[in-house]
Amino acid sequence: MILESLASRIVLFLFLVLPSIGFSQQSGVQNLRLEFENSTNDTARINAAKRLFGNYVYSKADSAIFYAEGIVAIGESMKSDAYVLTGNNYLGIASSVSGNFEKAAIYMQRVLDIHRSANDSLNIAYSLNNLGTNYLYAGNYLEAAQALIESVTFKEALVNSGSSLEDVDLSSTLQNIGIAYESQQDTAQAKTYYLRAIEEGDKAGAIVMSARAKSSLGSILIAAGNFEEALGYLVETEKVFVEANDVFSLSKIYNNIALAYAELNQPRQVISFANKAIEKSVEIGNQKSEGLGYMFVGLGNIKLNNFRAAIPVSIKTLQIGEEIDAPDLQHSALKNLYEAYEGLGNYKQAYDYSVQHKAIGEKIFDLKRSEQMEQLTAKYEADKRELEIDNLNQETELQSLQLDKANSERNLLILLLVSAVAIIGLVVYFYGQIVENRKELRNKNGELEKLNKTKDRFFAIVSHDLRGHISSFQGTGRLFKHFLVKKDEEKLENIATEIDKNANNLSNLLDNLLHWSVDQLKGYKPKPEQIEVSGVVAELIATFKPLADVKNVNLLSEVDENTMIMADRGSFFVTMRNLIANALKFTEEGSVTIFSKKEKDNFLIGIRDTGIGIPDEMKAQLFTIGEEKIRRGTQNEKGTGLGLNLAFEFTKMNGGRLEVESVEGEGTTFLVYLAHA
């Protein structure tokens, strides 16, 4: 059973409310594009961008993002905070719809913070709804529930204080909470919130929102097998969505209505509503919904025994499923195809499609379908056998019977032999898998034991360093009080310098520990982008300059301007920060130079120092975590070795490599190789 997806029913608010439009004619969209591109009136351009965003947000998210960015850019040129805020809100919504949930959350949180600072309760409620729905899309149901319930709290307070029910729109947020419960299979709670959403929508006269809640309620009734009750809600919403020109919602309910009629065995109604779904889906460019429509048309024709009519639409469903990588569409299309060819008596073609159907639906393939495939195989083999007998010997009825018997015995023997070989093969295969799995398990256990020992040593080092830094703060604090009483300014200045150094060391330790823990938990997801290296290096030089001045180290950049690499910005920044910090740690009254070089296959970024260098025996373990590789700096600075480990792992994560060249007593150069932008 295929139901309308939960994500397609989540309600996002578009601030500075968008017109409810759905352009069915290309000319309307084209005119708006021309106005956006050519108008000299910034307000007219922004209004065109808003309408284009509304047209594209649920069908072409990339286009929607383009026009949202346009609103931000025009708003900035006009110095209009309101338009910039609108553009950021749109960017959050479009990013969420396109699946970039982390980026969407950044935009939405930014908008929410602005409204909180302005104490704008209505827009706070809207922003919380958007943030909650973004978490719904991402599957973070706990955070979604928290944001949505807070939104409902704000909205109920607004209603109680006399705000317009229509402006507050409590219905849509209640519907989103229902979707959250439905996502967690709690259909009873979901139904309760959908009914509340319908009630609040009716009170506010928000018939479209009420209809969307009824559509959601219809979907869970279909899942529960209450098809007639579901149809009551779904059919009721059609007129509302038609009048509102809500093409997106129409494409969804038409497919669900077709599904309900299919379960009630009313094939003509199935075909009628499926064709409507196709029309609306094509209009908004929703290929998944279009494919479902074609699938239901095929299913309806099969139920009417119109097998030939079912074949082209089922092939269309299969093509769409392959194009958008939708296995459920492919599975349903292949089922339609083998049933249609079976109905036509073309058992060879039916068999081929049934094999494909089994391959793509292996996890959901049941005993009934297995029996059907076996029946098709038997019919195909029988047809083939009878044709061979007729071609070889048509002399007498007796000869035909003898050949039939001989072929039957032969086929039975072949089947038995093939079955025996298959069983032996399966036994050998699974035995091999068991042996391989045991071997892999032993290896994993050994790696785990080694990792645990390494981490135990690491945590001992970290805890020792943390205690050392904290003890330094405690001792320095007492000295500070002592010399403060004595009014010894020179000593106080020395102590302040020591506090600053200890604070920096502790901050770097904690920052590295945080990044390492995220990486170890596999929680860091790189997002490659173009990075201008010189900008990052300049920022880090400004950060480390005070430390370099204290140690009389000349901190230089020889990185070419406009040098671009492709990497994750956050992890690249951490890598460069740790390598520069390491160079300063082991250099006194010398220089640390950051340079770059473009090579054939890579881009090289180097950090060269004139420090104390690295002994040969330490180089092999330089990028691992361990007590044996820890050294103090030229001013007795402590360390854990975590920084170089992070630099190594993050460089590898970005598809690059980290190498080191060093001569003890002369200096060290770390070489970072990354891809060109």
Side-chain angles (χ1 to χ4, degrees):
M1 180 181 293
I2 299 175
L3 288 174
E4 163 191 15
S5 69
L6 295 176
S8 70
R9 290 186 272 122
I10 295 172
V11 181
L12 287 161
F13 285 98
L14 307 181
F15 296 145
L16 304 179
V17 181
L18 290 174
S20 297
I21 58 172
F23 294 105
S24 57
Q25 296 182 355
Q26 184 63 25
S27 59
V29 176
Q30 186 61 30
N31 288 337
L32 285 173
R33 286 177 182 164
L34 291 173
E35 185 172 5
F36 175 76
E37 292 168 2
N38 301 324
S39 177
T40 57
N41 186 309
D42 285 337
T43 302
R45 292 184 67 207
I46 283 180
N47 288 334
K50 287 181 185 179
R51 293 171 66 84
L52 286 164
F53 177 88
N55 188 73
Y56 287 127
V57 65
Y58 289 113
S59 57
K60 295 181 179 179
D62 289 342
S63 296
I65 290 172
F66 172 78
Y67 290 110
E69 289 174 341
I71 294 171
V72 172
I74 297 170
E76 288 175 345
S77 69
M78 295 173 66
K79 297 183 179 179
S80 169
D81 293 339
Y83 285 142
V84 172
L85 183 62
T86 299
N88 275 286
N89 180 57
Y90 288 1
L91 284 169
I93 292 167
S95 297
S96 186
V97 171
S98 65
N100 194 340
F101 306 122
E102 291 184 10
K103 192 171 185 179
I106 293 171
Y107 284 121
M108 292 176 177
Q109 189 64 53
R110 183 183 303 163
V111 172
L112 175 60
D113 291 342
I114 291 171
H115 290 310
R116 284 194 192 276
S117 65
N119 201 25
D120 184 346
S121 296
L122 182 59
N123 279 327
I124 290 172
Y126 287 165
S127 298
L128 285 166
N129 179 84
N130 285 358
L131 193 59
T133 55
N134 181 62
Y135 288 134
L136 267 184
Y137 275 123
N140 298 331
Y141 301 121
L142 179 59
E143 294 182 62
Q146 290 173 344
L148 292 171
I149 289 171
E150 187 179 356
S151 176
V152 167
T153 302
F154 271 96
K155 289 188 174 187
E156 288 177 338
L158 286 164
V159 171
N160 292 334
S161 64
S163 295
S164 164
L165 292 173
E166 185 177 359
D167 289 342
V168 172
D169 192 11
L170 181 57
S171 172
S172 49
T173 305
L174 291 170
Q175 183 186 347
N176 286 339
I177 295 175
I179 293 169
Y181 278 113
E182 186 179 348
S183 302
Q184 298 175 82
Q185 311 304 316
D186 191 345
T187 54
Q189 283 282 27
K191 185 175 181 181
T192 298
Y193 276 96
Y194 289 150
L195 289 170
R196 280 192 63 193
I198 294 168
E199 179 185 356
E200 293 296 333
D202 290 342
K203 281 183 189 177
I207 58 174
V208 174
M209 286 302 176
S210 180
R212 287 176 180 168
K214 289 174 183 178
S215 172
S216 295
L217 185 57
S219 295
I220 63 172
L221 288 170
I222 290 175
N226 300 327
F227 306 115
E228 292 183 354
E229 186 180 358
L231 280 172
Y233 283 105
L234 294 170
V235 172
E236 184 182 349
T237 65
E238 180 185 10
K239 182 179 178 182
V240 176
F241 292 142
V242 169
E243 290 178 353
N245 198 18
D246 188 346
V247 182
F248 183 79
S249 296
L250 282 170
S251 68
K252 298 298 179 182
I253 66 159
Y254 283 149
N255 273 325
N256 275 350
I257 291 172
L259 171 58
Y261 277 125
E263 295 291 350
L264 293 171
N265 201 26
Q266 297 185 38
R268 296 188 189 281
Q269 292 280 44
V270 173
I271 294 171
S272 173
F273 281 98
N275 279 321
K276 290 182 179 182
I278 293 169
E279 178 188 351
K280 298 302 177 184
S281 302
V282 170
E283 191 172 333
I284 61 172
N286 189 331
Q287 287 185 284
K288 178 68 177 290
S289 183
E290 179 188 355
L292 285 175
Y294 281 118
M295 186 275 293
F296 283 127
V297 171
L299 179 61
N301 277 300
I302 289 172
K303 288 179 177 287
L304 290 171
N305 293 329
N306 295 333
F307 301 115
R308 293 191 185 279
I311 290 172
V313 290
S314 298
I315 289 174
K316 179 69 173 177
T317 303
L318 183 61
Q319 290 170 342
I320 292 174
E322 291 171 346
E323 183 178 344
I324 66 174
D325 192 23
D328 54 344
L329 275 184
Q330 297 174 53
H331 190 259
S332 299
L334 290 167
K335 180 177 180 292
N336 279 357
L337 285 167
Y338 85 65
E339 287 184 348
Y341 278 110
E342 181 185 15
L344 292 172
N346 188 340
Y347 301 118
K348 172 65 171 64
Q349 197 74 0
Y351 174 77
D352 290 342
Y353 280 119
S354 70
V355 170
Q356 294 179 54
H357 175 258
K358 181 181 178 181
I360 202 166
E362 187 175 0
K363 293 183 180 179
I364 58 174
F365 195 80
D366 56 22
L367 181 60
K368 182 178 178 180
R369 294 290 180 234
S370 177
E371 292 172 350
Q372 287 178 344
M373 193 188 77
E374 291 173 0
Q375 291 169 1
L376 288 171
T377 304
K379 288 178 181 178
Y380 167 66
E381 290 294 334
D383 285 350
K384 179 181 176 183
R385 183 173 60 249
E386 288 171 4
L387 182 61
E388 289 174 349
I389 293 172
D390 288 341
N391 290 338
L392 289 172
N393 194 346
Q394 297 178 354
E395 293 178 1
T396 65
E397 185 178 350
L398 178 61
Q399 287 175 325
S400 296
L401 290 172
Q402 289 174 339
L403 285 173
D404 189 23
K405 180 181 178 182
N407 283 326
S408 297
E409 291 173 349
R410 183 195 64 194
N411 288 337
L412 178 61
L413 180 60
I414 290 172
L415 181 61
L416 290 172
L417 288 172
V418 169
S419 299
V421 170
I423 291 171
I424 293 170
L426 286 172
V427 170
V428 171
Y429 171 77
F430 284 117
Y431 177 76
Q433 286 293 102
I434 291 170
V435 172
E436 191 66 26
N437 288 342
R438 286 178 176 173
K439 181 180 178 181
E440 184 178 353
L441 183 60
R442 285 194 298 269
N443 291 338
K444 293 289 184 184
N445 285 337
E447 291 175 5
L448 183 60
E449 184 177 354
K450 181 179 179 181
L451 182 60
N452 282 335
K453 289 180 179 178
T454 299
K455 287 183 178 179
D456 286 344
R457 292 198 306 271
F458 169 67
F459 285 131
I461 295 165
V462 170
S463 62
H464 177 268
D465 278 5
L466 283 173
R467 285 196 301 270
H469 285 303
I470 291 169
S471 296
S472 294
F473 275 117
Q474 290 172 336
T476 306
R478 296 189 191 101
L479 285 173
F480 196 89
K481 282 180 64 179
H482 173 74
F483 289 118
L484 188 62
V485 172
K486 297 277 190 178
K487 297 183 179 181
D488 189 336
E489 293 183 2
E490 182 180 351
K491 295 287 179 65
L492 286 174
E493 184 177 352
N494 292 337
I495 290 172
T497 302
E498 185 67 22
I499 289 173
D500 185 55
K501 184 173 74 173
N502 284 336
N504 283 331
N505 290 339
L506 183 58
S507 176
N508 287 333
L509 174 62
L510 292 175
D511 196 22
N512 281 337
L513 184 59
L514 173 62
H515 283 96
W516 179 82
S517 63
V518 170
D519 180 59
Q520 292 298 301
L521 293 171
K522 307 303 179 187
Y524 194 98
K525 298 178 181 178
K527 301 180 186 65
E529 60 178 286
Q530 288 188 342
I531 301 172
E532 185 179 359
V533 178
S534 61
V536 174
V537 171
E539 182 179 349
L540 287 168
I541 286 178
T543 301
F544 283 108
K545 190 175 186 311
L547 176 60
D549 290 344
V550 169
K551 301 188 74 173
N552 292 323
V553 173
N554 195 10
L555 191 54
L556 303 171
S557 172
E558 296 179 358
V559 176
D560 294 336
E561 292 291 333
N562 301 320
T563 294
M564 304 297 289
I565 61 168
M566 182 62 68
D568 173 76
R569 180 174 293 276
S571 57
F572 175 70
F573 189 90
V574 170
T575 298
M576 294 299 296
R577 188 195 67 201
N578 279 299
L579 292 176
I580 294 172
N582 186 78
L584 287 171
K585 178 179 176 181
F586 295 104
T587 303
E588 188 83 23
E589 296 184 352
S591 66
V592 173
T593 304
I594 301 95
F595 62 92
S596 63
K597 180 181 179 183
K598 188 174 183 180
E599 299 187 341
K600 181 179 179 182
D601 299 321
N602 296 288
F603 199 91
L604 167 64
I605 304 159
I607 298 89
R608 180 175 59 241
D609 66 60
T610 59
I612 61 176
I614 302 170
D616 291 339
E617 62 271 15
M618 291 186 67
K619 290 179 183 177
Q621 303 296 323
L622 193 62
F623 299 123
T624 61
I625 298 173
E627 197 169 356
E628 64 280 355
K629 52 162 277 197
I630 296 173
R631 292 195 301 169
R632 291 181 179 267
T634 58
Q635 292 189 2
N636 206 32
E637 300 101 316
K638 294 181 180 179
T640 61
L642 181 57
L644 290 181
N645 175 258
L646 271 176
F648 180 79
E649 293 296 334
F650 277 169
T651 302
K652 185 168 65 173
M653 180 184 69
N654 278 305
R657 68 183 191 275
L658 176 60
E659 297 179 357
V660 62
E661 298 174 354
S662 182
V663 177
E664 191 171 7
E666 295 182 10
T668 300
T669 302
F670 284 94
L671 304 172
V672 181
Y673 294 89
L674 291 169
H676 296 294

